[in-house]
Amino acid sequence: MSSPTPLAMLKHVHHGAYRCRDAEQTRWFYEDVLGLPLTLAMEFDEEPGTGRKVDYMHLFFQMGDDNFIAFFDAPDSADEMQFRPRHAFDLHLAFEVDTMEELKDWRRRINKAGRPCFGPVDHEFIHSIYFVDPNGIPLEITVRDPSYDKVVAADAAKAHDALKAWTERTRARKEALFGAALDMRGIDTSKTDFSRVKAAMENGKDAQQEQSKDA
């Protein structure tokens, strides 16, 4: 398989988006507690790309680097199981501050707001505090240690070798768990006609509406 043509380097994370229980409760936490201003609160009645009718609000909170954390409030398709606290291995979001004093100030503020927050935890190149938002999303605030650049540079020099060794050691276990899904390289979908996917979704929606009428 040939190497892809180099393109412009990806930069920033414009936004990460998650589902929320309730727009106002989420606004309280991210704006009033974490200090991220609510910048967009857009209401829609259909799903982008499919046209499927769905009533939802898309919220954006602006961070200090002008990027965003975003949420979907879609009550008709939400389920309480979606908001149980996740394991940090499955999902977490880490913010960054500049000093240890700022990190500890945030820990105190979050605890006073009624959200348990613990740390700092020493990760040898960063220190972090941890808490969970009202939607079950694990959150982290971190500060770089003085050794940060040195540790990152040393690890970068051996990262590919470490990954190769890890892959060789764990490959058999993962093949037993995931099978063909373990390697999705080489599948070119650049010329795929996705109109049939949209049509299938529309047909499914029409069938659901007919079933609702019969019921």
Side-chain angles (χ1 to χ4, degrees):
M1 182 178 175
S2 60
S3 299
T5 303
L7 299 177
M9 184 71 166
L10 298 177
K11 58 181 182 179
H12 310 302
V13 175
H14 181 272
H15 69 276
Y18 310 89
R19 186 186 284 268
C20 67
R21 273 196 186 95
D22 176 70
E24 170 52 26
Q25 178 178 240
T26 299
R27 185 216 59 78
W28 160 76
F29 183 73
Y30 283 90
E31 186 168 53
D32 293 352
V33 179
L34 297 188
L36 306 180
L38 174 65
T39 305
L40 298 169
M42 302 181 292
E43 188 174 349
F44 300 94
D45 61 5
E46 66 177 40
E47 186 177 73
T50 68
R52 183 171 57 184
K53 293 300 180 183
V54 57
D55 191 26
Y56 71 96
M57 173 167 278
H58 200 12
L59 305 166
F60 286 77
F61 299 90
Q62 191 166 15
M63 295 183 283
D65 55 6
D66 293 331
N67 299 330
F68 298 89
I69 177 170
F71 292 89
F72 293 99
D73 184 352
D76 295 333
S77 60
D79 185 285
E80 177 58 25
M81 291 291 291
Q82 296 169 311
F83 305 112
R84 292 191 174 185
R86 264 69 59 104
H87 193 289
F89 285 4
D90 299 321
L91 168 72
H92 78 270
L93 178 66
F95 303 102
E96 185 177 354
V97 293
D98 292 329
T99 68
M100 180 64 73
E101 289 72 24
E102 292 174 344
L103 191 69
K104 293 178 179 179
D105 286 343
W106 276 109
R107 181 190 60 195
R108 285 188 286 269
R109 178 166 174 169
I110 293 163
N111 276 318
K112 286 182 179 179
R115 304 301 302 178
C117 181
F118 69 93
V121 175
D122 184 359
H123 295 294
E124 298 183 353
F125 72 117
I126 57 174
H127 277 71
S128 300
I129 59 173
Y130 296 92
F131 51 105
V132 179
D133 89 339
N135 305 301
I137 300 171
L139 299 177
E140 173 183 355
I141 302 177
T142 188
V143 62
R144 302 183 187 196
D145 287 352
S147 62
Y148 180 87
D149 290 339
K150 181 179 179 180
V151 172
V152 170
D155 198 84
K158 60 183 181 181
H160 284 87
D161 290 338
L163 176 59
K164 181 179 179 181
W166 170 259
T167 300
E168 291 173 352
R169 184 163 70 84
T170 62
R171 181 78 183 191
R173 276 185 276 163
K174 290 182 284 190
E175 283 180 342
L177 286 170
F178 307 121
L182 198 59
D183 196 342
M184 299 183 181
R185 288 173 286 193
I187 303 174
D188 184 358
T189 62
S190 61
K191 297 181 180 179
T192 301
D193 181 4
F194 288 103
S195 62
R196 294 181 181 179
V197 177
K198 180 177 179 180
M201 295 180 70
E202 287 297 315
N203 291 336
K205 179 189 69 175
D206 293 340
Q208 289 179 342
Q209 291 174 344
E210 289 299 322
Q211 289 176 359
S212 299
K213 290 178 182 178
D214 293 341

